[in-house]
């Protein structure tokens, strides 16, 4: 972690004198002597992001978000009353305090940046799948695809991952039409992610089995989730637990799928995020913009090469440009985007994304810890 530079100015208010410190993070160098004189000579190594404002009066100290590493301009808890009400009204949701515990952790900003880096390989280079169903729903479809396979009853020839069972789940949860669900499985099969496995007792029934190639991708995703959780909550220790319990990822996925089947909708409480996630390429576009905004601070716009980004995530430049333009029209961006330049996330969008990611990680943390508590699990890694 870099050491933050410091510059201070004394501002006099005729009604009530107070001292205002303006902090400017200067990555990659030690502040000069003139910048750290007098009462400013402190160790600010825990200040990890771009511009923080600290107002000190003679009678009180206000440290908005200083402990979280979030830029104060965003006021990360500014919309908590709205978010808490939305989250609390949803079935099967994670407790609000658990979400806040993740989001307000000092290391959570690092998890926001890592989410973009880790999720990219999972969602990237899936051009055809992105054309069949938007990313957010594709992710849930993959969760249920694996759930059907991993919870199958081998004695039931009609159980497991079949076209009919997958179409039924997608229809039940309104993820995709029967036609799109059918196309999704066929594309997965043609892409080498699934293989046909005809039933021995009834040749008319064809099960689909995940291939080693697909399971390697899933394991990579599981490990990424464990890394993100450990980054936000180092005491979780899930990376170490996974090393001793190879089945941890599978059990975590099963428990998470059960939450979704029970009616939990992780995006429903955050329409700001869903605006991006429901569109081809939008989920990762928002993740990239949030990570870059965190690095630069709210004052500076960020730029994304839409051509290169579109090639990576299977979306056209026109589609990505329309996502940004519609986000500005909806009040989610503070300035008109200029193709991939001048992207300024609104405070509400940034706070919604950070809080949604905290909910996402808190949910998987809950599922993983419950999995470790299942009979036989603890013996595998303690």
């Amino acid at each position: 972690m870099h050491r933050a530079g410091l510059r201070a100015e004394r501002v006099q208010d005729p009604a009530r004198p107070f001292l205002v410190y303006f902090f400017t993070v200067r990555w990659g160098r030690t502040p000069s002597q003139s910048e750290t004189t007098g009462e400013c000579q402190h160790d600010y190594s825990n200040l990890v992001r771009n511009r923080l404002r600290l107002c000190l009066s003679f009678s009180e100290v206000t440290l908005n978000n200083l402990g979280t590493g979030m830029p104060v301009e965003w006021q990360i808890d500014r919309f908590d009353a709205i978010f808490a009400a939305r989250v609390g009204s949803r079935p099967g949701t994670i407790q609000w305090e658990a979400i806040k515990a993740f989001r307000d952790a000092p290391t959570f900003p690092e998890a926001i940046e890592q989410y973009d880096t880790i999720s990219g390989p999972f969602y990237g280079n899936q051009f055809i799948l992105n054309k069949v169903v938007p990313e957010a729903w594709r992710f849930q479809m993959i969760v249920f695809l694996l759930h059907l396979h991993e919870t199958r009853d081998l004695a039931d020839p009609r159980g497991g991952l079949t076209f009919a069972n997958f179409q039924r789940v997608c229809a039940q949860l309104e993820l995709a039409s029967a036609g799109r669900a059918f196309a999704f499985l066929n594309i997965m099969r043609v892409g080498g992610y699934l293989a046909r496995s005809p039933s021995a007792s009834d040749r008319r029934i064809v099960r689909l089995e995940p291939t080693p190639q697909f399971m390697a991708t899933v394991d990579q995703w599981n490990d990424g989730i464990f890394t993100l959780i450990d980054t936000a909550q180092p005491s979780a220790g899930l990376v170490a637990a996974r090393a001793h319990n190879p089945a941890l990822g599978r059990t975590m996925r099963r428990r998470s799928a059960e939450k979704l089947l029970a009616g939990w909708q992780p995006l429903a409480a955050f329409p700001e995020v869903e605006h991006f996630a429901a569109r081809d390429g939008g989920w990762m576009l928002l993740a990239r913009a949030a990570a870059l905004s965190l690095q630069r601070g709210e004052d500076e716009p960020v730029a994304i090469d839409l051509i290169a980004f579109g090639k990576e995530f299977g979306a056209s430049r026109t589609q990505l440009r329309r996502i940004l333009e519609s986000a500005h029209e909806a009040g989610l961006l503070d300035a008109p985007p200029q193709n991939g330049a001048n992207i300024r996330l609104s405070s509400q969008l940034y706070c919604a994304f950070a809080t949604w990611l905290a909910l996402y990680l808190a949910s998987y943390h809950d599922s993983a810890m419950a999995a470790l508590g299942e009979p036989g699990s603890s013996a595998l890694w303690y």
Side-chain angles (χ1 to χ4, degrees):
M1 188 169 294
H2 300 283
R3 180 176 299 275
L6 172 66
R7 180 167 53 207
E9 295 178 3
R10 188 175 298 274
V11 180
Q12 295 294 332
D13 185 327
R16 176 177 162 185
F18 61 92
L19 186 66
V20 179
Y21 287 91
F22 295 99
F23 290 85
T24 303
V25 175
R26 301 175 183 275
W27 300 103
R29 73 171 179 83
T30 303
S32 67
Q33 180 68 24
S34 63
E35 292 172 324
T36 57
T37 57
E39 63 265 48
C40 302
Q41 291 181 351
H42 299 289
D43 183 3
Y44 292 103
S45 60
N46 289 329
L47 302 180
V48 295
R49 293 297 176 255
N50 289 13
R51 176 174 280 178
L52 300 179
R53 176 172 295 176
L54 173 61
C55 296
L56 304 175
S57 73
F58 291 133
S59 59
E60 63 183 357
V61 179
T62 302
L63 297 172
N64 290 334
N65 300 324
L66 186 59
T68 68
M70 295 287 186
V72 168
E73 294 97 326
W74 272 310
Q75 296 178 322
I76 198 65
D77 60 354
R78 177 180 174 187
F79 304 98
D80 276 7
I82 297 173
F83 298 155
R86 291 179 188 169
V87 168
S89 66
R90 307 291 173 179
T93 191
I94 300 298
Q95 292 295 317
W96 175 248
E97 291 306 317
I99 298 171
K100 277 179 57 64
F102 265 86
R103 190 201 62 190
D104 297 347
T107 52
F108 188 72
E110 297 176 36
I112 293 178
E113 294 187 59
Q114 284 186 356
Y115 180 75
D116 173 45
T117 303
I118 289 174
S119 298
F122 185 75
Y123 291 104
N125 303 316
Q126 303 293 342
F127 183 83
I128 297 178
L129 284 180
N130 275 329
K131 294 304 177 186
V132 175
V133 65
E135 287 174 7
W137 319 136
R138 173 161 62 91
F139 173 79
Q140 291 193 32
M141 290 169 75
I142 289 175
V143 169
F144 289 117
L145 178 158
L146 293 167
H147 184 68
L148 286 170
H149 170 69
E150 293 169 349
T151 60
R152 68 193 183 282
D153 181 356
L154 296 178
D156 180 4
R158 297 184 180 276
L161 178 58
T162 66
F163 283 96
N165 290 341
F166 187 69
Q167 288 171 320
R168 173 181 52 78
V169 171
C170 288
Q172 173 188 341
L173 298 175
E174 300 181 347
L175 295 176
S177 66
R180 282 181 177 253
F182 183 83
F184 182 89
L185 290 181
N186 273 317
I187 290 172
M188 293 283 286
R189 185 173 61 82
V190 172
Y193 298 113
L194 298 174
R196 294 167 62 91
S197 178
S199 170
S201 59
D202 189 341
R203 302 293 292 183
R204 295 171 298 176
I205 300 174
V206 177
R207 279 195 180 124
L208 296 171
E209 303 273 344
T211 62
Q213 170 193 345
F214 180 42
M215 292 313 299
T217 302
V218 172
D219 287 339
Q220 179 188 28
W221 176 83
N222 288 338
D223 291 343
I225 290 294
F226 296 143
T227 298
L228 288 170
I229 292 173
D230 281 2
T231 297
Q233 296 285 343
S235 62
L238 291 181
V239 172
R242 162 69 170 81
H244 292 84
N245 185 350
L248 179 58
R250 182 177 68 247
T251 312
M252 177 185 72
R253 291 195 307 272
R254 175 175 59 79
R255 285 184 167 271
S256 297
E258 290 169 353
K259 292 178 185 177
L260 294 170
L261 286 170
W264 181 52
Q265 298 178 5
L267 282 168
F270 299 96
E272 303 90 347
V273 178
E274 190 171 4
H275 177 91
F276 286 83
R279 293 164 168 82
D280 296 346
W283 192 335
M284 293 311 301
L285 181 63
L286 176 57
R288 180 69 51 82
L292 292 173
S293 297
L294 184 60
Q295 294 168 11
R296 297 193 178 188
E298 190 182 22
D299 285 351
E300 298 184 36
V302 300
I304 297 173
D305 183 337
L306 297 185
I307 295 178
F309 188 91
K311 290 180 179 178
E312 183 179 359
F313 295 105
S316 69
R317 178 178 63 174
T318 299
Q319 166 69 6
L320 297 172
R321 188 175 67 246
R322 286 173 178 168
I323 293 173
L324 294 172
E325 290 171 350
S326 63
H328 176 249
E329 292 170 2
L332 300 176
L333 299 181
D334 283 342
Q338 300 167 0
N339 287 318
N342 200 40
I343 301 173
R344 295 176 181 265
L345 304 190
S346 71
S347 295
Q348 184 160 348
L349 175 58
Y350 181 83
C351 293
F353 177 76
T355 308
W356 168 81
L357 182 58
L359 175 147
Y360 177 81
L361 296 180
S363 176
Y364 276 107
H365 175 258
D366 175 75
S367 296
M369 298 309 291
L372 289 173
E374 290 187 357
S377 292
S378 59
L380 292 175
W381 74 282
Y382 278 118

